[in-house]
Amino acid sequence: QVPRSDDEERTFRQCLPHMGLLYSMFPTMVLHEVTPEVHGYLESGWCYCEFQIAMLGKQLSPYSCDALEAIGHSAAAGRGVRDEDNMGATNTLEGFVSEVDAEVGHKHFFKPGDLDDVRCIVTAFALKRMMLDAIEAGDTEQLCTVVDSLETQGLLHTTMDQPVNKALETPLHVA
């Protein structure tokens, strides 16, 4: 939250690449109710980020099905299923990033600079999801495309070192 001291900002920046791991690896419960004087759950930039990460990690089910429906998403989103009713029909990285860019620009942030951080974090987790899907499908062409994207964005080493499931396996372990 603002204002951050220089030490808090440094610590925040150091931890930032790893903040979403819990949302992507373990079942997540969305508590969407807010007090009347506060903007809605998905209107908050960081709540939106955490929601997207949990969805990409297929971690919104079973604890968040009621919340998903209350905030206008199908229960399928809790299992990582994207459809026209919840997150759009596009299954490409470019399409997903375009959706996120369009959405995140309208979110509330206490610190406006956090908007770019959320874009980067959600994109990184989308790439990680696409990598895991390519590994599971045995799609080496898609895997190479995702690895190239991660490398281009400077996210390859961080992504390859991070665990992707509750057994703490990295993408290399899963492959």
Side-chain angles (χ1 to χ4, degrees):
Q1 304 300 329
V2 275
R4 293 182 195 130
S5 69
D6 289 344
D7 284 341
E8 290 171 331
E9 184 67 23
R10 224 178 348 274
T11 300
F12 177 74
R13 295 285 159 206
Q14 184 179 10
C15 295
L16 197 56
H18 310 290
M19 288 173 65
L21 291 176
L22 291 175
Y23 303 109
S24 71
M25 294 177 7
F26 300 99
T28 300
M29 179 182 284
V30 172
L31 302 173
H32 68 282
E33 295 90 359
V34 295
T35 58
E37 67 276 1
V38 177
H39 55 266
Y41 172 80
L42 284 180
E43 293 173 38
S44 165
W46 284 109
C47 291
Y48 172 80
C49 180
E50 293 158 0
F51 175 85
Q52 290 294 329
I53 292 168
M55 185 186 64
L56 288 163
K58 301 180 182 181
Q59 297 299 325
L60 290 173
S61 182
Y63 303 120
S64 297
C65 291
D66 291 342
L68 288 169
E69 291 175 13
I71 57 179
H73 291 269
S74 71
R79 297 185 304 278
V81 177
R82 297 177 64 229
D83 61 26
E84 268 106 3
D85 294 334
N86 59 53
M87 295 310 296
T90 184
N91 286 319
T92 65
L93 175 63
E94 295 79 16
F96 183 81
V97 170
S98 176
E99 287 178 11
V100 168
D101 282 345
E103 265 294 317
V104 79
H106 302 289
K107 304 301 177 189
H108 296 271
F109 291 94
F110 287 112
K111 190 168 181 179
D114 289 352
L115 182 138
D116 290 330
D117 294 328
V118 165
R119 281 187 173 122
C120 183
I121 290 168
V122 174
T123 298
F125 276 93
L127 282 165
K128 186 186 289 188
R129 170 83 268 142
M130 294 174 128
M131 177 190 299
L132 290 172
D133 290 347
I135 290 169
E136 290 174 7
D139 187 344
T140 55
E141 184 178 329
Q142 176 67 6
L143 182 58
C144 288
T145 300
V146 173
V147 168
D148 287 345
S149 293
L150 286 165
E151 191 167 33
T152 299
Q153 295 181 38
L155 299 169
L156 183 60
H157 294 291
T158 301
T159 302
M160 296 305 282
D161 289 343
Q162 289 180 341
V164 295
N165 57 33
K166 56 187 164 193
L168 302 179
E169 296 172 315
T170 66
L172 291 175
H173 289 106
V174 174

